[in-house]
Amino acid sequence: MIIDLQKVKNGELNLIAVNKNINIIRDTIKSWDWYDENLYSCEIRTDDIDNYFDVIDSKGVSSYNSDIHAIWEPISKKNTTIIRTEGDISPFKRSLSFSGIECYAIRIYNDNNTYIAYSFQKMDQNGDSDRIIQYINEGYRSEFYQEGSLLPFENPEYYRRRRKIDRINPEIIIEYMDALGWNILDDKFWISSKYAYKDVRTFIHE
């Protein structure tokens, strides 16, 4: 499989996938105490979620020095919700889990091989990590780590490979997401037939 990461700005993809309606997830997110600080939101009906991360909006805030995230229902798997962030994904996955919502979180990041981070994680409904597989390479050292029980679609043979980077990588992450019903290589994954949300937490504007 050839991995098409053209939709991934700066070679980074942080995603959370939830098997719940977008209205439920949106209301849940808005209830979090930490979420409304220096934040504004807008609704955009679009055929290209990825453009959210490039457009300067009416308030003059671009992606520079801002934490931007998009929330949408992919037409490839209706009644589910995707959250994509350019900032830290951890507050979202933990808060969803503490709110009693199971979710899957992935990270694909490769900074010209100077820093690499690949991870696949399932969060349970109690604020805990139910399953995590990850590979980190900081240049001077690399680490493969896994914890939790195997999920039904996992291939444990991957984790016995000699090279750590071959145990969890973009191909495997995409395979696991596809097994869950989210094919991130499908253009329909990036298209929403409903209103999607773009939120910006900015550190350079009021």
Side-chain angles (χ1 to χ4, degrees):
M1 177 186 294
I2 297 174
I3 303 303
D4 180 6
L5 294 181
Q6 291 181 355
K7 291 181 178 292
V8 183
K9 186 178 180 183
N10 297 325
E12 182 170 7
L13 179 61
N14 295 316
L15 283 182
I16 293 176
V18 189
N19 276 308
K20 283 191 178 295
N21 180 276
I22 189 171
N23 295 324
I24 295 173
I25 299 304
R26 183 66 176 157
D27 289 343
T28 300
I29 290 175
K30 288 193 293 185
S31 72
W32 299 336
D33 291 339
W34 62 266
Y35 186 72
D36 60 358
E37 182 182 359
N38 297 322
L39 178 73
Y40 70 87
S41 176
C42 57
E43 295 181 357
I44 302 177
R45 195 179 187 94
T46 181
D47 285 339
D48 190 352
I49 300 297
D50 199 54
N51 280 339
Y52 276 8
F53 295 87
D54 297 317
V55 174
I56 296 177
D57 54 60
S58 60
K59 290 198 175 185
V61 177
S62 70
S63 60
Y64 175 73
N65 204 21
S66 300
D67 181 3
I68 300 179
H69 48 276
I71 305 169
W72 75 96
E73 175 192 292
I75 64 173
S76 60
K77 192 178 183 185
K78 294 185 177 181
N79 291 315
T80 69
T81 303
I82 302 298
I83 303 170
R84 178 186 170 189
T85 78
E86 280 201 339
D88 185 7
I89 202 171
S90 298
F92 286 93
K93 65 185 182 184
R94 290 172 182 161
S95 295
L96 283 169
S97 180
F98 277 117
S99 298
I101 296 174
E102 180 181 279
C103 64
Y104 298 88
I106 67 170
R107 187 181 189 200
I108 297 173
Y109 183 82
N110 188 337
D111 185 10
N112 296 316
N113 292 319
T114 59
Y115 181 81
I116 302 172
Y118 300 141
S119 68
F120 176 91
Q121 186 174 21
K122 178 187 176 185
M123 299 292 294
D124 66 14
Q125 298 176 341
N126 302 302
D128 297 318
S129 176
D130 197 29
R131 174 65 170 152
I132 185 169
I133 315 115
Q134 69 177 16
Y135 169 78
I136 303 290
N137 189 325
E138 298 175 294
Y140 63 92
R141 71 181 180 94
S142 65
E143 178 185 52
F144 170 77
Y145 172 79
Q146 63 168 319
E147 184 177 22
S149 300
L150 286 171
L151 299 173
F153 51 82
E154 287 187 56
N155 185 345
E157 293 300 317
Y158 292 155
Y159 316 139
R160 301 187 182 102
R161 290 173 172 172
R162 184 182 62 83
R163 295 201 318 160
K164 296 176 184 177
I165 196 171
D166 292 331
R167 299 173 191 171
I168 185 73
N169 54 35
E171 290 89 346
I172 295 171
I173 292 170
I174 290 170
E175 176 187 321
Y176 287 176
M177 290 296 287
D178 191 28
L180 289 165
W182 292 289
N183 180 359
I184 65 177
L185 297 184
D186 183 355
D187 287 342
K188 292 181 180 179
F189 175 85
W190 299 94
I191 298 173
S192 176
S193 61
K194 299 181 178 181
Y195 278 101
Y197 300 92
K198 170 191 175 183
D199 292 342
V200 179
R201 183 188 304 276
T202 177
F203 306 102
I204 53 178
H205 292 271
E206 293 294 328

